[in-house]
Amino acid sequence: MTGATILTSQAGAAQDPPLAPPDKQPPHVRVPEPVAKTVGWAVVGLGQLALEEVLPAFAKCRLSKPVALVSGHPDKAKKVAAVYGIDPKNVYDYENYDTIAKNPQVDVIYVILPNSLHAEYTVRGLKAGKHVLCEKPMAATVAECERMIAAGKEAKRKLMIAYRLRHEPFNRTAIDLCRKGEVGKIKLITASNGQDTKAPNIRLSKALAGGPVEDVGVYCLNAARYLTGEEPTEVTAVAVRPKDDPRFREVAESVAFTLRFPSGTVAVCDCSFGVAGVRRYTVQGAAATLSMDGAFGYAGQELVLEKDKRKAKFDLSPVNHFAAEMDYFSTCVLKNENPLTPGEEGLADVRAIIAIAEATRTGRPVPIPR
Ligand code: NAD
């Protein structure tokens, strides 16, 4: 056998680890623990966000299960129910929606309708005895927001506004860094959120409470509030509505606005429905600069802290924003805890949105009432 290598199986020493999994199971696989109780969710409105993001995200939830649907299109709703294993008896329309009160499988209602309908369907959901997660912006007017908050208190049910970025690690880390003083005193925040919105779209309709500030600018506004931890006292704003683009017959194409905060921080924000798309913010502090590209998207956040001419990029594990948000609200329901972004949080943004609209009309600074 000259020149050949003879391969023989050698018996291992007693202390050697076994080569094949000892009981035919990979040793590091994590077997999920059963949860004691899950929370049943009804999704109201089967549009783009519900169908493309929210319903698929339930597969990544531990505590939240889709158990009912509310839609004005019965054929679509039945089809969607079959895909998600939802009992066809639990498909409601907008007329019989209130009878959801009698369905013990439903704990939470998620309102994903045009902005002009948020108040009505949230109030009806709370009156039906269910907890409600309502999409941003909370509603079209301050009075509607106040009615929604009052309905939650009266029904003793929780109301949360769907600010998904509060449940994902990049924006949470940015908040922590600002609170811990890593950037020093915050002097300036710049924030941009834009996209190219094609007609027809609920966002282009005034009657449905659309508009760039309501839809995308609210992310800049909310970020300026959560990064500073302060409430803005005054706004200025300029709106652009190109006459040669019929998409903007009712709402502006772009709005630039500034927010003045009590500590002296100024936030300079812009939002648009007519741009290729930028979703970023920068926090300029006395000691460092924090910036996030892709800040407002469903994924793709890049967080960088620049201090003493050195840049540190944060390597965080992204999560599905909607799954994290829904399981968070389910936890609030199960543990009877108040959510991080209750109705009052949505109302604070709506107060600023109304002031921004007034500032675009008058061209003057507008105080934000508290
Ligand atoms: P969409 O137009 O795709 O869906 C709206 C749904 O409402 C449709 O199913 C439609 O049939 C239904 N509807 C009921 N009554 C209606 C009426 N009178 N006019 C028009 N539609 C009516 O919109 P979308 O993109 O799914 O947005 C829905 C809500 O979700 C909005 O409030 C929006 O701001 C919010 N949203 C939030 C995020 C986020 O990241 N949190 C992302 C997208 C949208």
Side-chain angles (χ1 to χ4, degrees), residues 46-49 113 115 118 135-136 164 203 219 298:
L46 298 179
Q48 193 170 7
L49 183 68
L113 291 168
N115 305 338
H118 288 183
E135 262 308 328
K136 45 56 59 177
R164 60 183 162 77
R203 291 159 181 77
Y219 287 91
Y298 298 152

Side-chain angles (χ1 to χ4, degrees), residues 169-170 173 177 301-305 312-318:
F170 292 88
T173 302
L177 293 167
Q301 281 75 13
E302 289 183 21
L303 177 62
V304 174
L305 182 68
K313 189 171 169 187
F314 286 79
D315 184 15
L316 305 169
S317 302

Side-chain angles (χ1 to χ4, degrees), residues 3 56 85 96 105 124 134 137 142 155 178 190 194 203 211 227 231 239 242 257 268 273 284 286 307 315 362:
N96 69 12
Q105 282 179 276
R124 284 169 70 182
C134 174
V142 167
C178 290
T190 50
R203 291 159 181 77
L227 292 166
E231 293 302 334
F257 57 94
V268 181
F273 280 159
Q284 297 186 55
K307 202 170 196 169
D315 184 15
T362 62

Side-chain angles (χ1 to χ4, degrees), residues 203-248:
R203 291 159 181 77
L204 300 171
S205 160
K206 202 166 175 56
L208 298 178
V213 180
E214 290 77 354
D215 189 58
V216 283
V218 66
Y219 287 91
C220 305
L221 162 62
N222 199 247
R225 292 180 49 242
Y226 60 65
L227 292 166
T228 56
E230 292 183 63
E231 293 302 334
T233 54
E234 186 186 81
V235 302
T236 63
V238 177
V240 181
R241 192 185 296 171
K243 289 199 169 54
D244 60 350
D245 192 333
R247 284 183 295 172
F248 304 112

